[in-house]
Amino acid sequence: MLITDRRRSTREEQARSRAGLPLTQRARLAELEQQGWALSCIRAAPPQVIVLSPKGRAALLTREGRLADPMGVTLRHR
């Protein structure tokens, strides 16, 4: 389940969070999810999208739709 602001989010909140992403991030996120990746969290202002690979590796999905390596973001809930 997607985590936003240190709490579990509802499906409606998840849909609003995804809708607020740039088209490039939404499109790439959809592709990644088809390949087994999962959305971990979305941080606001500026939107930072953290995804998890099928093997559990975390990555940052940039505004341009690329996976950042190294991620450059610290995750507290991992």
Side-chain angles (χ1 to χ4, degrees):
M1 173 172 282
L2 174 64
I3 299 173
T4 58
D5 298 328
R6 298 185 203 141
R7 59 182 162 70
R8 302 277 177 194
S9 61
T10 65
R11 289 184 188 265
E12 293 167 350
E13 290 172 322
Q14 289 179 27
R16 279 195 302 270
S17 294
R18 284 176 183 255
L21 295 175
L23 181 59
T24 51
Q25 281 181 323
R26 285 191 316 234
R28 182 67 171 140
L29 179 57
E31 290 174 10
L32 289 170
E33 287 175 327
Q34 289 179 348
Q35 297 171 13
W37 289 68
L39 177 61
S40 175
C41 65
I42 299 174
R43 294 181 176 171
Q48 292 181 317
V49 178
I50 310 298
V51 292
L52 298 174
S53 75
K55 294 183 179 182
R57 186 183 125 245
L60 174 70
L61 183 60
T62 67
R63 188 171 182 84
E64 297 80 26
R66 290 185 227 123
L67 293 176
D69 186 33
M71 188 168 62
V73 175
T74 303
L75 299 177
R76 290 176 282 184
H77 67 278
R78 286 199 51 145

